[in-house]
Amino acid sequence: MFSSWPKSESLMERSRKVVSSTRPDLDGTFPFVVASGLGGYVTDLEGNRYLDLTASTGAVLLGHRHPEVSAATIAAINDVGSMFPTTTSPLLFEVAERLTNMFPSAERALFFRTGSEATTAAIRLARMATGRRTVLTSGYHGWHDWHLQMFPQFRMEDPTHIDFAYNLNLLELLLDRYAGDVACVIVTPDLNFFPHEYFAELRELTSRKGVILIFDEVVTGFRYGMGGFQSSSGITPEMTTLSKGLANGHAISAVVGRAELIEQRDKTHMWGTFNSEVTPLAAAVATLDVFVRDNVPAVLDHVGTALMEGLGALFRSAGVRADAFRVGSDFHIVFEDEDLGQAFYWSCLCRGVLFHRFDRQIVTAAHTLEDVQFALDVAGEALAELEASTPAAFQGWSEPSPEARDLRCLNETGGLMDYRRAVDEIPDMWTLVNQIKELPPSP
Ligand SMILES: Cc1ncc(COP(=O)(O)O)c(C=O)c1O
């Protein structure tokens, strides 16, 4: 059991005086500083090793320091350099060709560094192609001003970006109210909370209204199958954003989509210095090689499902109201009693298993069934410890309430799971939507 982190605490204390860029949900809650990562594990400054189920928020698809990706990256730096004066390069061509072959919506590709850049670029392209302004959005798309519509506490005044919070009735209402001025609808496919039918209805609605649909597959692009969610679902958007997993932790993102949309880029300024960087492209080629050769989505699904189902079985046999659901490769855990959930994660962390305490749990292709067994053993010990201290919470299993799931859904997506809830019945706590109902029509 790990119980104190003196070196980490000391570094955090010193860091706070000179750095202010920590993530409140990760650095702010983990008691340690990570010193290194290898495969499915990270090691802290104290030398403690943890099974990493955050996958660095999903970016490290193959696990930390994947040997083939590292070798390709180091070779690129040594053999050709890290950055060229121009953007076109053999590696750029290679990655673009692979993505256009892999993703149904991809006729052309355009590259950036981060997911926020890619989603911001995609909506600019949609606006340019249509000459319209209004962007209807649901789900997380990054940190730039316009994405903040998802967070009532952070949003900036911006009537041209409207978050419809995954509610299809609200989307329909907005499409009518802003008819003729909607440039695009951009949505993150989140199968943990919204079923396949949701996205089929979304596609039908946007097609019927003649509006561009963008799938933000920054997370799902390399998790839900070869060619992302759109490939496995058969639902094709006009544009797609990609990033996490594309280069196994190296900074690269892409917008792929219909040629006439991506080519709008030639009519605007959409280029940055580090778009000419070569190293992440080398990492992307190596990552995609492994991705296809090893059928990585199937590996993630197999290992992740074993962990998710194993946890579900543990919660049931322990008699605690908690559940793990729905997509194995990046699933959610919900405890009816959130404080109990936090105690569970803490107890696991002290035993060497790093669950994300506020977000999805994400496996990598480096995780094995032995790692799953280790995580389940630890989870079993943690539950036994909690039962000894709070027996009242272990009186028999039943599904967590819809409210508990909805709270998680709201935190994660900005929406509620009942995506056909009547607009007038949306609860008051959903203040953002209530503000949207008051918005004036576009002039
Ligand atoms: C679906 C989705 N889109 C966009 C982003 C933003 O990507 P980045 O953090 O690289 O800017 C994220 C990041 O978590 C994301 O999950």
Side-chain angles (χ1 to χ4, degrees), residues 358-389:
F358 300 100
D359 208 330
R360 57 187 66 216
Q361 314 301 331
I362 310 183
V363 296
T364 71
H367 291 123
T368 62
L369 291 178
E370 287 72 40
D371 294 328
V372 168
Q373 194 51 55
F374 170 59
L376 294 177
D377 291 346
V378 160
E381 287 170 29
L383 290 173
E385 182 187 72
L386 293 178
E387 185 173 5
S389 58

PDB file of all heavy atoms in Angstrom, residues 358-389:
ATOM      1  N   PHE A 358     -12.704  11.117 -12.255  1.00  0.00           N
ATOM      2  CA  PHE A 358     -13.870  11.907 -12.687  1.00  0.00           C
ATOM      3  C   PHE A 358     -14.235  11.679 -14.142  1.00  0.00           C
ATOM      4  O   PHE A 358     -15.024  12.428 -14.694  1.00  0.00           O
ATOM      5  CB  PHE A 358     -13.580  13.400 -12.485  1.00  0.00           C
ATOM      6  CG  PHE A 358     -13.288  13.751 -11.067  1.00  0.00           C
ATOM      7  CD1 PHE A 358     -11.982  13.912 -10.640  1.00  0.00           C
ATOM      8  CD2 PHE A 358     -14.323  13.887 -10.154  1.00  0.00           C
ATOM      9  CE1 PHE A 358     -11.711  14.223  -9.318  1.00  0.00           C
ATOM     10  CE2 PHE A 358     -14.055  14.195  -8.838  1.00  0.00           C
ATOM     11  CZ  PHE A 358     -12.749  14.360  -8.412  1.00  0.00           C
ATOM     12  N   ASP A 359     -13.647  10.725 -14.776  1.00  0.00           N
ATOM     13  CA  ASP A 359     -13.830  10.627 -16.224  1.00  0.00           C
ATOM     14  C   ASP A 359     -13.912   9.157 -16.617  1.00  0.00           C
ATOM     15  O   ASP A 359     -13.980   8.273 -15.763  1.00  0.00           O
ATOM     16  CB  ASP A 359     -12.628  11.305 -16.912  1.00  0.00           C
ATOM     17  CG  ASP A 359     -12.987  11.854 -18.274  1.00  0.00           C
ATOM     18  OD1 ASP A 359     -13.869  11.295 -18.931  1.00  0.00           O
ATOM     19  OD2 ASP A 359     -12.354  12.849 -18.681  1.00  0.00           O
ATOM     20  N   ARG A 360     -13.836   8.905 -17.917  1.00  0.00           N
ATOM     21  CA  ARG A 360     -13.915   7.527 -18.394  1.00  0.00           C
ATOM     22  C   ARG A 360     -12.639   6.760 -18.054  1.00  0.00           C
ATOM     23  O   ARG A 360     -11.578   7.364 -17.846  1.00  0.00           O
ATOM     24  CB  ARG A 360     -14.163   7.515 -19.895  1.00  0.00           C
ATOM     25  CG  ARG A 360     -13.125   8.253 -20.679  1.00  0.00           C
ATOM     26  CD  ARG A 360     -13.511   8.369 -22.154  1.00  0.00           C
ATOM     27  NE  ARG A 360     -14.686   9.187 -22.331  1.00  0.00           N
ATOM     28  CZ  ARG A 360     -15.632   8.956 -23.250  1.00  0.00           C
ATOM     29  NH1 ARG A 360     -15.533   7.944 -24.063  1.00  0.00           N
ATOM     30  NH2 ARG A 360     -16.668   9.749 -23.369  1.00  0.00           N
ATOM     31  N   GLN A 361     -12.739   5.439 -18.006  1.00  0.00           N
ATOM     32  CA  GLN A 361     -11.587   4.558 -17.799  1.00  0.00           C
ATOM     33  C   GLN A 361     -11.150   4.053 -19.174  1.00  0.00           C
ATOM     34  O   GLN A 361     -11.987   3.604 -19.954  1.00  0.00           O
ATOM     35  CB  GLN A 361     -11.948   3.381 -16.888  1.00  0.00           C
ATOM     36  CG  GLN A 361     -12.731   3.774 -15.639  1.00  0.00           C
ATOM     37  CD  GLN A 361     -11.981   4.774 -14.773  1.00  0.00           C
ATOM     38  OE1 GLN A 361     -10.750   4.813 -14.753  1.00  0.00           O
ATOM     39  NE2 GLN A 361     -12.721   5.607 -14.049  1.00  0.00           N
ATOM     40  N   ILE A 362      -9.869   4.141 -19.451  1.00  0.00           N
ATOM     41  CA  ILE A 362      -9.430   3.865 -20.822  1.00  0.00           C
ATOM     42  C   ILE A 362      -8.274   2.870 -20.820  1.00  0.00           C
ATOM     43  O   ILE A 362      -7.213   3.129 -20.241  1.00  0.00           O
ATOM     44  CB  ILE A 362      -8.983   5.167 -21.522  1.00  0.00           C
ATOM     45  CG1 ILE A 362     -10.052   6.256 -21.355  1.00  0.00           C
ATOM     46  CG2 ILE A 362      -8.725   4.909 -22.993  1.00  0.00           C
ATOM     47  CD1 ILE A 362      -9.743   7.552 -22.058  1.00  0.00           C
ATOM     48  N   VAL A 363      -8.481   1.738 -21.515  1.00  0.00           N
ATOM     49  CA  VAL A 363      -7.387   0.768 -21.622  1.00  0.00           C
ATOM     50  C   VAL A 363      -6.557   1.071 -22.865  1.00  0.00           C
ATOM     51  O   VAL A 363      -6.989   1.793 -23.760  1.00  0.00           O
ATOM     52  CB  VAL A 363      -7.908  -0.695 -21.698  1.00  0.00           C
ATOM     53  CG1 VAL A 363      -8.613  -1.087 -20.422  1.00  0.00           C
ATOM     54  CG2 VAL A 363      -8.801  -0.904 -22.914  1.00  0.00           C
ATOM     55  N   THR A 364      -5.349   0.521 -22.883  1.00  0.00           N
ATOM     56  CA  THR A 364      -4.490   0.633 -24.061  1.00  0.00           C
ATOM     57  C   THR A 364      -4.193  -0.779 -24.563  1.00  0.00           C
ATOM     58  O   THR A 364      -4.447  -1.775 -23.863  1.00  0.00           O
ATOM     59  CB  THR A 364      -3.154   1.321 -23.729  1.00  0.00           C
ATOM     60  OG1 THR A 364      -2.367   0.407 -22.943  1.00  0.00           O
ATOM     61  CG2 THR A 364      -3.358   2.616 -22.973  1.00  0.00           C
ATOM     62  N   ALA A 365      -3.598  -0.836 -25.761  1.00  0.00           N
ATOM     63  CA  ALA A 365      -3.260  -2.154 -26.315  1.00  0.00           C
ATOM     64  C   ALA A 365      -2.107  -2.795 -25.555  1.00  0.00           C
ATOM     65  O   ALA A 365      -1.791  -3.969 -25.784  1.00  0.00           O
ATOM     66  CB  ALA A 365      -2.922  -2.014 -27.798  1.00  0.00           C
ATOM     67  N   ALA A 366      -1.465  -2.034 -24.654  1.00  0.00           N
ATOM     68  CA  ALA A 366      -0.391  -2.622 -23.844  1.00  0.00           C
ATOM     69  C   ALA A 366      -0.942  -3.397 -22.652  1.00  0.00           C
ATOM     70  O   ALA A 366      -0.223  -4.154 -22.013  1.00  0.00           O
ATOM     71  CB  ALA A 366       0.552  -1.523 -23.351  1.00  0.00           C
ATOM     72  N   HIS A 367      -2.212  -3.160 -22.327  1.00  0.00           N
ATOM     73  CA  HIS A 367      -2.800  -3.874 -21.190  1.00  0.00           C
ATOM     74  C   HIS A 367      -3.129  -5.314 -21.584  1.00  0.00           C
ATOM     75  O   HIS A 367      -3.578  -5.575 -22.702  1.00  0.00           O
ATOM     76  CB  HIS A 367      -4.068  -3.156 -20.706  1.00  0.00           C
ATOM     77  CG  HIS A 367      -3.766  -1.838 -20.054  1.00  0.00           C
ATOM     78  ND1 HIS A 367      -4.300  -0.635 -20.485  1.00  0.00           N
ATOM     79  CD2 HIS A 367      -2.956  -1.519 -19.023  1.00  0.00           C
ATOM     80  CE1 HIS A 367      -3.847   0.356 -19.730  1.00  0.00           C
ATOM     81  NE2 HIS A 367      -3.026  -0.155 -18.840  1.00  0.00           N
ATOM     82  N   THR A 368      -2.908  -6.207 -20.640  1.00  0.00           N
ATOM     83  CA  THR A 368      -3.144  -7.634 -20.895  1.00  0.00           C
ATOM     84  C   THR A 368      -4.238  -8.144 -19.951  1.00  0.00           C
ATOM     85  O   THR A 368      -4.646  -7.446 -19.011  1.00  0.00           O
ATOM     86  CB  THR A 368      -1.870  -8.447 -20.608  1.00  0.00           C
ATOM     87  OG1 THR A 368      -1.567  -8.283 -19.204  1.00  0.00           O
ATOM     88  CG2 THR A 368      -0.689  -7.956 -21.438  1.00  0.00           C
ATOM     89  N   LEU A 369      -4.632  -9.382 -20.186  1.00  0.00           N
ATOM     90  CA  LEU A 369      -5.631  -9.969 -19.280  1.00  0.00           C
ATOM     91  C   LEU A 369      -5.056 -10.162 -17.874  1.00  0.00           C
ATOM     92  O   LEU A 369      -5.790 -10.140 -16.889  1.00  0.00           O
ATOM     93  CB  LEU A 369      -6.156 -11.291 -19.851  1.00  0.00           C
ATOM     94  CG  LEU A 369      -7.014 -11.134 -21.122  1.00  0.00           C
ATOM     95  CD1 LEU A 369      -7.466 -12.491 -21.650  1.00  0.00           C
ATOM     96  CD2 LEU A 369      -8.236 -10.229 -20.884  1.00  0.00           C
ATOM     97  N   GLU A 370      -3.720 -10.291 -17.779  1.00  0.00           N
ATOM     98  CA  GLU A 370      -3.084 -10.357 -16.438  1.00  0.00           C
ATOM     99  C   GLU A 370      -3.245  -9.005 -15.735  1.00  0.00           C
ATOM    100  O   GLU A 370      -3.506  -8.950 -14.525  1.00  0.00           O
ATOM    101  CB  GLU A 370      -1.588 -10.698 -16.539  1.00  0.00           C
ATOM    102  CG  GLU A 370      -1.274 -12.137 -16.898  1.00  0.00           C
ATOM    103  CD  GLU A 370      -1.587 -12.461 -18.355  1.00  0.00           C
ATOM    104  OE1 GLU A 370      -1.314 -11.607 -19.228  1.00  0.00           O
ATOM    105  OE2 GLU A 370      -2.138 -13.544 -18.618  1.00  0.00           O
ATOM    106  N   ASP A 371      -3.090  -7.922 -16.497  1.00  0.00           N
ATOM    107  CA  ASP A 371      -3.284  -6.590 -15.908  1.00  0.00           C
ATOM    108  C   ASP A 371      -4.736  -6.440 -15.438  1.00  0.00           C
ATOM    109  O   ASP A 371      -5.002  -5.852 -14.382  1.00  0.00           O
ATOM    110  CB  ASP A 371      -2.967  -5.490 -16.927  1.00  0.00           C
ATOM    111  CG  ASP A 371      -1.492  -5.468 -17.312  1.00  0.00           C
ATOM    112  OD1 ASP A 371      -0.654  -5.799 -16.452  1.00  0.00           O
ATOM    113  OD2 ASP A 371      -1.194  -5.142 -18.477  1.00  0.00           O
ATOM    114  N   VAL A 372      -5.648  -6.955 -16.240  1.00  0.00           N
ATOM    115  CA  VAL A 372      -7.065  -6.887 -15.868  1.00  0.00           C
ATOM    116  C   VAL A 372      -7.276  -7.624 -14.544  1.00  0.00           C
ATOM    117  O   VAL A 372      -7.937  -7.119 -13.628  1.00  0.00           O
ATOM    118  CB  VAL A 372      -7.958  -7.497 -16.976  1.00  0.00           C
ATOM    119  CG1 VAL A 372      -9.394  -7.702 -16.489  1.00  0.00           C
ATOM    120  CG2 VAL A 372      -7.943  -6.620 -18.221  1.00  0.00           C
ATOM    121  N   GLN A 373      -6.660  -8.808 -14.435  1.00  0.00           N
ATOM    122  CA  GLN A 373      -6.816  -9.584 -13.199  1.00  0.00           C
ATOM    123  C   GLN A 373      -6.249  -8.821 -12.007  1.00  0.00           C
ATOM    124  O   GLN A 373      -6.855  -8.787 -10.926  1.00  0.00           O
ATOM    125  CB  GLN A 373      -6.140 -10.956 -13.335  1.00  0.00           C
ATOM    126  CG  GLN A 373      -6.537 -11.944 -12.254  1.00  0.00           C
ATOM    127  CD  GLN A 373      -8.059 -12.063 -12.086  1.00  0.00           C
ATOM    128  OE1 GLN A 373      -8.769 -12.334 -13.050  1.00  0.00           O
ATOM    129  NE2 GLN A 373      -8.564 -11.824 -10.872  1.00  0.00           N
ATOM    130  N   PHE A 374      -5.093  -8.177 -12.221  1.00  0.00           N
ATOM    131  CA  PHE A 374      -4.495  -7.364 -11.153  1.00  0.00           C
ATOM    132  C   PHE A 374      -5.470  -6.251 -10.729  1.00  0.00           C
ATOM    133  O   PHE A 374      -5.727  -6.050  -9.526  1.00  0.00           O
ATOM    134  CB  PHE A 374      -3.163  -6.769 -11.643  1.00  0.00           C
ATOM    135  CG  PHE A 374      -2.578  -5.736 -10.730  1.00  0.00           C
ATOM    136  CD1 PHE A 374      -2.268  -6.037  -9.414  1.00  0.00           C
ATOM    137  CD2 PHE A 374      -2.336  -4.440 -11.185  1.00  0.00           C
ATOM    138  CE1 PHE A 374      -1.727  -5.071  -8.554  1.00  0.00           C
ATOM    139  CE2 PHE A 374      -1.795  -3.474 -10.343  1.00  0.00           C
ATOM    140  CZ  PHE A 374      -1.504  -3.793  -9.028  1.00  0.00           C
ATOM    141  N   ALA A 375      -6.040  -5.558 -11.725  1.00  0.00           N
ATOM    142  CA  ALA A 375      -6.980  -4.469 -11.407  1.00  0.00           C
ATOM    143  C   ALA A 375      -8.191  -5.007 -10.646  1.00  0.00           C
ATOM    144  O   ALA A 375      -8.669  -4.372  -9.688  1.00  0.00           O
ATOM    145  CB  ALA A 375      -7.433  -3.772 -12.692  1.00  0.00           C
ATOM    146  N   LEU A 376      -8.672  -6.178 -11.050  1.00  0.00           N
ATOM    147  CA  LEU A 376      -9.862  -6.737 -10.380  1.00  0.00           C
ATOM    148  C   LEU A 376      -9.538  -7.182  -8.961  1.00  0.00           C
ATOM    149  O   LEU A 376     -10.344  -7.003  -8.036  1.00  0.00           O
ATOM    150  CB  LEU A 376     -10.432  -7.898 -11.208  1.00  0.00           C
ATOM    151  CG  LEU A 376     -11.003  -7.497 -12.582  1.00  0.00           C
ATOM    152  CD1 LEU A 376     -11.478  -8.726 -13.349  1.00  0.00           C
ATOM    153  CD2 LEU A 376     -12.142  -6.479 -12.433  1.00  0.00           C
ATOM    154  N   ASP A 377      -8.328  -7.751  -8.775  1.00  0.00           N
ATOM    155  CA  ASP A 377      -7.921  -8.143  -7.408  1.00  0.00           C
ATOM    156  C   ASP A 377      -7.881  -6.915  -6.506  1.00  0.00           C
ATOM    157  O   ASP A 377      -8.389  -6.924  -5.375  1.00  0.00           O
ATOM    158  CB  ASP A 377      -6.538  -8.816  -7.431  1.00  0.00           C
ATOM    159  CG  ASP A 377      -6.591 -10.191  -8.099  1.00  0.00           C
ATOM    160  OD1 ASP A 377      -7.706 -10.710  -8.292  1.00  0.00           O
ATOM    161  OD2 ASP A 377      -5.513 -10.721  -8.446  1.00  0.00           O
ATOM    162  N   VAL A 378      -7.278  -5.860  -7.037  1.00  0.00           N
ATOM    163  CA  VAL A 378      -7.168  -4.619  -6.256  1.00  0.00           C
ATOM    164  C   VAL A 378      -8.564  -4.051  -5.982  1.00  0.00           C
ATOM    165  O   VAL A 378      -8.868  -3.624  -4.855  1.00  0.00           O
ATOM    166  CB  VAL A 378      -6.277  -3.605  -7.023  1.00  0.00           C
ATOM    167  CG1 VAL A 378      -6.522  -2.183  -6.550  1.00  0.00           C
ATOM    168  CG2 VAL A 378      -4.810  -3.975  -6.847  1.00  0.00           C
ATOM    169  N   ALA A 379      -9.407  -4.036  -7.014  1.00  0.00           N
ATOM    170  CA  ALA A 379     -10.759  -3.497  -6.822  1.00  0.00           C
ATOM    171  C   ALA A 379     -11.503  -4.307  -5.756  1.00  0.00           C
ATOM    172  O   ALA A 379     -12.230  -3.743  -4.922  1.00  0.00           O
ATOM    173  CB  ALA A 379     -11.526  -3.512  -8.146  1.00  0.00           C
ATOM    174  N   GLY A 380     -11.310  -5.636  -5.762  1.00  0.00           N
ATOM    175  CA  GLY A 380     -11.960  -6.492  -4.759  1.00  0.00           C
ATOM    176  C   GLY A 380     -11.480  -6.132  -3.353  1.00  0.00           C
ATOM    177  O   GLY A 380     -12.289  -6.032  -2.417  1.00  0.00           O
ATOM    178  N   GLU A 381     -10.166  -5.922  -3.205  1.00  0.00           N
ATOM    179  CA  GLU A 381      -9.625  -5.539  -1.880  1.00  0.00           C
ATOM    180  C   GLU A 381     -10.181  -4.181  -1.452  1.00  0.00           C
ATOM    181  O   GLU A 381     -10.523  -3.970  -0.286  1.00  0.00           O
ATOM    182  CB  GLU A 381      -8.092  -5.440  -1.947  1.00  0.00           C
ATOM    183  CG  GLU A 381      -7.384  -6.772  -2.028  1.00  0.00           C
ATOM    184  CD  GLU A 381      -5.890  -6.590  -2.328  1.00  0.00           C
ATOM    185  OE1 GLU A 381      -5.320  -5.550  -1.946  1.00  0.00           O
ATOM    186  OE2 GLU A 381      -5.314  -7.493  -2.959  1.00  0.00           O
ATOM    187  N   ALA A 382     -10.248  -3.257  -2.406  1.00  0.00           N
ATOM    188  CA  ALA A 382     -10.751  -1.907  -2.079  1.00  0.00           C
ATOM    189  C   ALA A 382     -12.207  -1.994  -1.614  1.00  0.00           C
ATOM    190  O   ALA A 382     -12.598  -1.349  -0.630  1.00  0.00           O
ATOM    191  CB  ALA A 382     -10.627  -0.997  -3.302  1.00  0.00           C
ATOM    192  N   LEU A 383     -13.016  -2.802  -2.307  1.00  0.00           N
ATOM    193  CA  LEU A 383     -14.424  -2.924  -1.914  1.00  0.00           C
ATOM    194  C   LEU A 383     -14.554  -3.550  -0.531  1.00  0.00           C
ATOM    195  O   LEU A 383     -15.388  -3.139   0.280  1.00  0.00           O
ATOM    196  CB  LEU A 383     -15.197  -3.746  -2.957  1.00  0.00           C
ATOM    197  CG  LEU A 383     -15.409  -3.058  -4.320  1.00  0.00           C
ATOM    198  CD1 LEU A 383     -16.027  -4.017  -5.326  1.00  0.00           C
ATOM    199  CD2 LEU A 383     -16.272  -1.801  -4.182  1.00  0.00           C
ATOM    200  N   ALA A 384     -13.688  -4.558  -0.255  1.00  0.00           N
ATOM    201  CA  ALA A 384     -13.738  -5.195   1.071  1.00  0.00           C
ATOM    202  C   ALA A 384     -13.387  -4.176   2.154  1.00  0.00           C
ATOM    203  O   ALA A 384     -14.030  -4.133   3.220  1.00  0.00           O
ATOM    204  CB  ALA A 384     -12.773  -6.386   1.114  1.00  0.00           C
ATOM    205  N   GLU A 385     -12.404  -3.352   1.876  1.00  0.00           N
ATOM    206  CA  GLU A 385     -12.009  -2.320   2.852  1.00  0.00           C
ATOM    207  C   GLU A 385     -13.173  -1.348   3.091  1.00  0.00           C
ATOM    208  O   GLU A 385     -13.485  -1.000   4.231  1.00  0.00           O
ATOM    209  CB  GLU A 385     -10.793  -1.554   2.303  1.00  0.00           C
ATOM    210  CG  GLU A 385     -10.270  -0.490   3.248  1.00  0.00           C
ATOM    211  CD  GLU A 385      -9.175   0.339   2.580  1.00  0.00           C
ATOM    212  OE1 GLU A 385      -9.493   1.137   1.689  1.00  0.00           O
ATOM    213  OE2 GLU A 385      -8.005   0.188   2.958  1.00  0.00           O
ATOM    214  N   LEU A 386     -13.828  -0.944   2.004  1.00  0.00           N
ATOM    215  CA  LEU A 386     -14.936   0.016   2.145  1.00  0.00           C
ATOM    216  C   LEU A 386     -16.121  -0.619   2.871  1.00  0.00           C
ATOM    217  O   LEU A 386     -16.791   0.034   3.667  1.00  0.00           O
ATOM    218  CB  LEU A 386     -15.384   0.522   0.767  1.00  0.00           C
ATOM    219  CG  LEU A 386     -14.359   1.385   0.013  1.00  0.00           C
ATOM    220  CD1 LEU A 386     -14.898   1.781  -1.351  1.00  0.00           C
ATOM    221  CD2 LEU A 386     -14.015   2.621   0.821  1.00  0.00           C
ATOM    222  N   GLU A 387     -16.343  -1.893   2.581  1.00  0.00           N
ATOM    223  CA  GLU A 387     -17.469  -2.566   3.246  1.00  0.00           C
ATOM    224  C   GLU A 387     -17.240  -2.622   4.753  1.00  0.00           C
ATOM    225  O   GLU A 387     -18.184  -2.441   5.544  1.00  0.00           O
ATOM    226  CB  GLU A 387     -17.654  -3.981   2.682  1.00  0.00           C
ATOM    227  CG  GLU A 387     -18.875  -4.647   3.274  1.00  0.00           C
ATOM    228  CD  GLU A 387     -19.206  -5.987   2.620  1.00  0.00           C
ATOM    229  OE1 GLU A 387     -18.428  -6.444   1.764  1.00  0.00           O
ATOM    230  OE2 GLU A 387     -20.247  -6.560   2.982  1.00  0.00           O
ATOM    231  N   ALA A 388     -15.966  -2.845   5.143  1.00  0.00           N
ATOM    232  CA  ALA A 388     -15.671  -2.908   6.580  1.00  0.00           C
ATOM    233  C   ALA A 388     -15.940  -1.561   7.256  1.00  0.00           C
ATOM    234  O   ALA A 388     -16.420  -1.504   8.386  1.00  0.00           O
ATOM    235  CB  ALA A 388     -14.209  -3.324   6.784  1.00  0.00           C
ATOM    236  N   SER A 389     -15.655  -0.458   6.537  1.00  0.00           N
ATOM    237  CA  SER A 389     -15.829   0.856   7.175  1.00  0.00           C
ATOM    238  C   SER A 389     -17.242   1.409   6.987  1.00  0.00           C
ATOM    239  O   SER A 389     -17.723   2.182   7.808  1.00  0.00           O
ATOM    240  CB  SER A 389     -14.792   1.853   6.645  1.00  0.00           C
ATOM    241  OG  SER A 389     -14.919   1.968   5.245  1.00  0.00           O
TER     242      SER A 389
END
